[in-house]
Amino acid sequence: MAAIPGAMDIAKLNETILCYAETIYRFNGLWEGPDPLTPLISLFLIQLTFSMGVIHLLVFALKPFNQPPFIAEVLGGILLGPSVFGRIAAYRKLAFPNYSFRILEPMAHLSITYYAFLIGLKMDVRGIMRTSPKAMKVALSGIIIPFSVGAGLYFIFQIDKPERAGCLFWGAALTVTGFSVLSNILDKQQMIHVESGKMALSSALINETCSWALLALGFAVTSSQSNIQWSVISTVAFILVCIYFVRPGLSWLIRKAPEGQGYSEFYICSIVSGMALSGVITDACGTHPMIGAFVFGLIIPNEVLEVTIVDKLEDFVMGILMPVYFVVCGLRTNVDSMSNETSWTIVLVVILLACGVKVLSTLAVTAFSDIPVDEALAVGFMCNTKSVMALIILESGQIQGALSTQTYSVMIVAMLLMTMITTPAAIWFKPVQNVVAYKRRTVQKAKSDEEFRVVACIHTTRNVPSIIHLLRTSNARSHSPISVFALQLVELVGRASTMMVVHSSRKAGLRNSSTVELQADQIITAFDNYMLRSEGVATQVITARCPYTTMDDDVCTVARERRAALLVIPFHKQRNADGEMEDINPSLRSINEGILENAPCSVGILIDRGAAETQDHAQNVAALFFGGPDDREALAYAWRMADETDSKLTVVRFIPSSEAGANNGTSDKSHVSLEIDTEREKLLDDDYYNKFRNATANSGNIRCFDLVLDDEEETIKAIKSMDEHYHDLYIVGRGKGMQSALTTGLADWCDCPELGPIGDLLVTSEFESAFSVLIVQQHSESGRSREGSYRSGGSMNYSAGEEMVVRESAPAESEKFESFGSFRKWDHEN
């Protein structure tokens, strides 16, 4: 008999479990009851689909207004909440009934836990150590003043029985500057490399890092006021354990992974499990699981692993999970409650003050810094940008009971207005001088007594010796200085934000330095040594993290901002151990082509065939002159190298003979403009070459030779015979926009058309000696016209009997190719 009651209890328990299961999903579909949306799973799937659809539609609708997706996400949540659609009773009861919060809220907080983990993975804390003093002052002012004003506004607005901890969340929300949202806005407006944009981004990185600390403090204060100290101490202890024990352990495990095989699912799942465990620990400490997830993401030591995890998780988290969180935030917002027991005038005043506090904080910096007022205003409006972090702070404050629906809604609306203003402000404050053309864009136009500014691109440390070899040959002097900007280009894989760091000094000995930092340290050391061993040289190293798709634009922007006259880029092929040129990265070729097309100054493609390994500068330089603006630019650079130095320069001018002109001629005169341009270029060539010849007539280290040749075959033989003299550096124009009878056939066989026919010959042909090649393209004020003439080069011909203008001082015996023997008479050793 005693067993019967027990059996009855089990039956009741089973009935209870079955009843709960019915609220999760339905066994018999529509046949079970009239409402198919009663089960939580079905309702949640409908809510998820509806949320994603509304948010993506808003993102599409706001694109013409250049608003970031964050605005559409927050607006989407508000539209679905009680402020708009929630006013309809049938919609509220059908789509978002109260009992659906049992699954919405856990999923929302699961999403922000994963979001915090991704933010930690992508955040570069070391960037804080590289922040400029100006940006540091702006960041500190942007933390102290907004936090103080936010706390004060909270007590002024919430007069009757305010929750004291609420001031902490209002103040923390105003300190936030959304780094990812701001970088997206500045990238679209091409202001990442502008001084105000760089300052705002650096300040945003510091502010967002401090916001996580304020959020953890807010959780500790509101969770258990009697044990605040233990919550703070245990959370700090967890962070220290992660830094000094967990991170080295992860580094050891990663080093044990087989190289070249990527990371298996086991590694990824282990990292995600570690993130979940960290969340449990910080939740037990009295803060929140997302604090632990953020810290765990922050200590992941390997960049490749970080990128792998971001690629696998980000689309799922941001595209599917996060809309749930935005909807939950929208459901907590009620615009009608903003004026409860107060007037709309007070609400508007509070919102305006909240929107202006970042601007006031940056203006305050101008009192003890040399930041101009207009720049401070620009930075202030940019720093008003908010992100998901501000939403997390405010929503956490309401969950903890520190913020009412009224105070929460007021700050949500203020946050929306702040971020919406950022894009118009960025457009308004975009400096005009960023697009103003400067005069000295070429080597030929640069004055000998002025600073010669060079931007040198570096993809790997292997590029450094050849670049410094070229720069040492560039002949820096106290009365003719050289400023070198070494631009380290790092591929930004994944979806992190574009970053640019200007290195002020070398910081060796950093623990757990990344591969990029170690390479930057080596580059800084090399250019510091170059500067110390040279006279009239100033160097600066810049690291740019950007995807390959936009790298050419970033390089051109840096060259424009630094007002460079020459932009040196490494070739996409390198010399291997067997002496052959092998492709190292196909993406570099498209980057170089983009730079050649859009560069704001002259460009030099540098190819190293082993010369940099034997000596620190080129002693025997050869300049090949066929004519055209690119060749004149190459000659101007070679002239600078050999002026007042021990380097010997050989200038060889290749002149088509009358037979070559006749064989290449045609009676077609339809392209009149091209023929006029050709005659003009010939006159310019003669004028500049004669100027160079007369100025260097008495120079003992500069020799000039004129070769009159018949065809491209003789051109190839002449160039290959120059290898006997062991030149260290060949300088040749790219030949864009020009066509010569001596190179017509060569252009059809180019493996690398971006080098031009002669440059391609020097790079791809077999030579016994080791040398470097610099392919020069002169900047043109009208790139389109030159490109047009280049494409029409095939139709540019010499008419029969056309007389070739030859410099008067050309030797009489140089009428035929056999006279090339006269070129060999110069002994380089004497």
Side-chain angles (χ1 to χ4, degrees):
M1 297 294 293
I4 295 176
M8 292 174 61
D9 291 341
I10 292 174
K12 290 180 179 180
L13 181 61
N14 287 336
E15 288 178 4
T16 304
I17 293 174
L18 183 60
C19 179
Y20 177 69
E22 285 184 343
T23 65
I24 298 177
Y25 59 89
R26 185 175 299 280
F27 290 109
N28 297 323
L30 291 172
W31 312 112
E32 185 68 20
D35 187 0
L37 297 182
T38 301
L40 287 176
I41 292 296
S42 301
L43 181 59
F44 173 72
L45 293 176
I46 292 295
Q47 291 170 340
L48 180 62
T49 305
F50 192 38
S51 304
M52 290 191 296
V54 170
I55 289 175
H56 283 89
L57 281 175
L58 284 174
V59 170
F60 179 77
L62 293 177
K63 265 190 176 180
F65 302 97
N66 294 321
Q67 291 297 330
F70 174 71
I71 296 295
E73 292 162 348
V74 177
L75 281 177
I78 294 176
L79 285 176
L80 297 177
S83 301
V84 185
F85 293 155
R87 299 173 184 270
I88 306 172
Y91 160 83
R92 186 172 65 251
K93 183 179 179 180
L94 181 67
F96 290 97
N98 292 335
Y99 68 86
S100 66
F101 260 66
R102 282 186 292 175
I103 191 169
L104 273 178
E105 284 235 89
M107 291 301 296
H109 283 263
L110 175 66
S111 66
I112 61 173
T113 300
Y114 275 96
Y115 173 80
F117 176 58
L118 292 176
I119 291 297
L121 280 172
K122 294 190 289 185
M123 183 173 288
D124 182 17
V125 181
R126 296 187 185 93
I128 298 176
M129 306 304 296
R130 299 187 291 264
T131 304
S132 64
K134 288 183 180 180
M136 184 65 72
K137 292 176 183 178
V138 171
L140 293 177
S141 177
I143 294 172
I144 297 172
I145 295 179
F147 186 85
S148 303
V149 173
L153 285 176
Y154 174 80
F155 284 110
I156 293 173
F157 183 74
Q158 194 78 354
I159 300 175
D160 298 332
K161 298 179 181 179
E163 179 64 37
R164 292 183 178 180
C167 68
L168 184 62
F169 291 94
W170 262 37
L174 287 183
T175 63
V176 173
T177 298
F179 178 82
S180 58
V181 179
L182 178 60
S183 63
N184 182 34
I185 293 173
L186 295 181
D187 187 31
K188 288 185 177 179
Q189 300 304 322
Q190 299 181 349
M191 289 186 65
I192 284 184
H193 306 304
V194 177
E195 187 63 30
S196 57
K198 291 186 289 187
M199 191 181 303
L201 276 179
S202 300
S203 173
L205 180 62
I206 299 174
N207 288 350
E208 189 159 330
T209 306
C210 292
S211 298
W212 285 98
L214 292 173
L215 178 62
L217 180 63
F219 274 117
V221 169
T222 55
S223 297
S224 177
Q225 297 184 1
S226 60
N227 295 311
I228 296 175
Q229 67 278 13
W230 296 113
S231 180
V232 173
I233 291 172
S234 59
T235 304
V236 172
F238 167 76
I239 295 173
L240 294 176
V241 168
C242 287
I243 294 174
Y244 291 104
F245 295 98
V246 178
R247 180 182 171 89
L250 290 173
S251 299
W252 181 81
L253 289 175
I254 292 171
R255 287 196 298 269
K256 294 296 183 180
E259 294 185 5
Q261 298 182 7
Y263 293 96
S264 64
E265 294 297 327
F266 172 77
Y267 274 90
I268 305 300
C269 293
S270 299
I271 294 296
V272 175
S273 300
M275 177 271 294
L277 180 60
S278 299
V280 172
I281 293 174
T282 51
D283 185 50
C285 291
T287 51
H288 193 281
M290 65 180 171
I291 302 296
F294 170 74
V295 173
F296 192 79
L298 210 59
I299 64 168
I300 299 298
N302 186 273
E303 292 180 349
V304 178
L305 180 59
E306 292 173 2
V307 171
T308 304
I309 297 173
V310 169
D311 284 340
K312 288 182 177 294
L313 290 182
E314 188 167 40
D315 288 336
F316 174 72
V317 174
M318 300 304 298
I320 298 177
L321 290 183
M322 285 304 291
V324 180
Y325 182 72
F326 293 124
V327 168
V328 168
C329 292
L331 293 174
R332 293 183 178 277
T333 306
N334 192 345
V335 177
D336 294 337
S337 67
M338 292 169 56
S339 60
N340 287 347
E341 300 179 2
T342 185
S343 65
W344 278 104
T345 304
I346 296 177
V347 173
L348 292 176
V349 170
V350 170
I351 291 176
L352 289 176
L353 288 174
C355 292
V357 67
K358 279 284 187 178
V359 180
L360 293 174
S361 66
T362 52
L363 286 176
V365 178
T366 59
F368 49 90
S369 178
D370 57 349
I371 301 176
V373 175
D374 55 345
E375 187 175 313
L377 285 172
V379 174
F381 278 104
M382 293 176 195
C383 289
N384 255 338
T385 308
K386 302 301 176 185
S387 64
V388 179
M389 186 62 201
L391 268 184
I392 292 173
I393 292 174
L394 293 174
E395 199 254 350
S396 302
Q398 193 182 37
I399 289 177
Q400 298 296 96
L403 295 179
S404 63
T405 302
Q406 181 187 25
T407 54
Y408 171 81
S409 301
V410 168
M411 194 53 67
I412 288 290
V413 173
M415 182 186 67
L416 261 179
L417 291 176
M418 294 179 204
T419 312
M420 292 175 70
I421 293 172
T422 303
T423 298
I427 297 174
W428 177 264
F429 286 104
K430 188 173 183 179
V432 179
Q433 61 268 24
N434 188 47
V435 294
V436 173
Y438 55 96
K439 295 181 180 179
R440 311 299 181 195
R441 292 181 174 222
T442 66
V443 182
Q444 187 178 348
K445 291 183 179 180
K447 295 182 178 180
S448 60
D449 57 347
E450 287 185 348
E451 183 183 45
F452 181 51
R453 302 172 74 85
V454 181
V455 172
C457 298
I458 299 170
H459 292 284
T460 66
T461 52
R462 188 174 177 180
N463 302 140
V464 175
S466 58
I467 289 176
I468 293 183
H469 179 266
L470 175 68
L471 293 172
R472 288 189 186 280
T473 313
S474 299
N475 191 14
R477 293 157 291 175
S478 57
H479 61 278
S480 181
I482 294 179
S483 286
V484 181
F485 302 94
L487 181 61
Q488 181 192 15
L489 297 170
V490 181
E491 182 191 8
L492 188 66
V493 287
R495 296 169 179 82
S497 302
T498 303
M499 282 289 291
M500 181 164 291
V501 178
V502 179
H503 302 277
S504 57
S505 61
R506 186 171 71 94
K507 296 182 179 179
L510 292 175
R511 294 187 58 184
N512 299 319
S513 297
S514 65
T515 303
V516 174
E517 289 179 320
L518 291 175
Q519 289 185 353
D521 188 72
Q522 296 173 10
I523 294 170
I524 295 171
T525 302
F527 278 88
D528 282 349
N529 291 336
Y530 161 60
M531 181 173 61
L532 292 173
R533 295 174 58 187
S534 305
E535 180 184 5
V537 171
T539 63
Q540 185 182 71
V541 178
I542 307 168
T543 297
R545 292 174 178 260
C546 46
Y548 282 148
T549 53
T550 63
M551 193 170 283
D552 55 336
D553 291 333
D554 293 327
V555 170
C556 294
T557 301
V558 172
R560 186 181 298 108
E561 287 185 349
R562 267 59 183 184
R563 309 178 75 81
L566 180 65
L567 176 58
V568 180
I569 54 179
F571 190 43
H572 69 275
K573 293 183 179 181
Q574 288 183 347
R575 187 168 176 264
N576 59 20
D578 299 329
E580 298 179 355
M581 301 298 292
E582 61 179 3
D583 204 336
I584 55 173
N585 191 340
S587 300
L588 302 186
R589 183 172 188 172
S590 60
I591 293 170
N592 288 351
E593 290 173 349
I595 293 173
L596 288 169
E597 185 68 25
N598 303 308
C601 60
S602 295
V603 181
I605 304 178
L606 181 60
I607 303 101
D608 181 24
R609 295 181 59 109
E613 302 172 1
T614 58
Q615 52 195 355
D616 63 349
H617 74 282
Q619 296 179 354
N620 295 323
V621 182
L624 310 184
F625 191 87
F626 289 83
D630 294 344
D631 281 33
R632 293 195 296 271
E633 184 76 353
L635 181 58
Y637 194 26
W639 189 353
R640 179 186 179 90
M641 291 178 176
D643 190 21
E644 302 179 14
T645 63
D646 59 349
S647 296
K648 293 184 178 180
L649 172 62
T650 303
V651 179
V652 183
R653 187 181 187 185
F654 293 82
I655 304 173
S657 64
S658 299
E659 295 180 2
N663 293 334
N664 198 48
T666 179
S667 59
D668 182 11
K669 299 293 183 180
S670 59
H671 299 280
V672 178
S673 61
L674 290 179
E675 291 181 2
I676 294 174
D677 290 341
T678 302
E679 292 299 328
R680 180 176 179 274
E681 291 296 333
K682 290 177 183 177
L683 293 175
L684 291 174
D685 291 340
D686 291 338
D687 180 68
Y688 190 73
Y689 187 73
N690 288 335
K691 177 183 176 182
F692 166 77
R693 185 76 178 248
N694 295 331
T696 60
N698 298 324
S699 176
N701 60 335
I702 298 178
R703 297 292 179 91
C704 298
F705 297 89
D706 291 351
L707 298 182
V708 180
L709 307 178
D710 290 334
D711 52 32
E712 61 269 14
E713 184 178 351
E714 293 186 350
T715 302
I716 295 174
K717 291 180 180 179
I719 293 175
K720 286 188 175 182
S721 66
M722 295 177 66
D723 193 38
E724 300 175 4
H725 296 283
Y726 300 102
H727 295 287
D728 308 311
L729 174 65
Y730 285 87
I731 302 180
V732 62
R734 184 186 172 204
K736 181 180 179 183
M738 291 300 296
Q739 190 79 6
S740 171
L742 303 181
T743 61
T744 303
L746 298 179
D748 298 332
W749 299 94
C750 281
D751 291 334
C752 302
E754 69 271 20
L755 301 181
I758 303 302
D760 183 80
L761 174 66
L762 288 169
V763 172
T764 58
S765 300
E766 295 182 0
F767 290 89
E768 295 181 359
S769 61
F771 55 85
S772 296
V773 182
L774 185 69
I775 314 297
V776 181
Q777 173 184 283
Q778 187 179 66
H779 172 72
S780 172
E781 297 297 334
S782 178
R784 292 183 179 179
S785 63
R786 286 185 61 188
E787 183 66 24
S789 63
Y790 176 67
R791 281 193 283 262
S792 305
S795 61
M796 180 168 56
N797 301 296
Y798 297 99
S799 59
E802 181 180 2
E803 183 180 357
M804 172 66 66
V805 180
V806 182
R807 194 179 53 81
E808 293 181 359
S809 58
E813 67 270 21
S814 63
E815 293 296 329
K816 296 292 181 181
F817 174 71
E818 287 75 17
S819 66
F820 187 66
S822 62
F823 168 70
R824 302 178 184 177
K825 294 179 182 178
W826 182 28
D827 186 1
H828 287 269
E829 302 299 329
N830 298 319

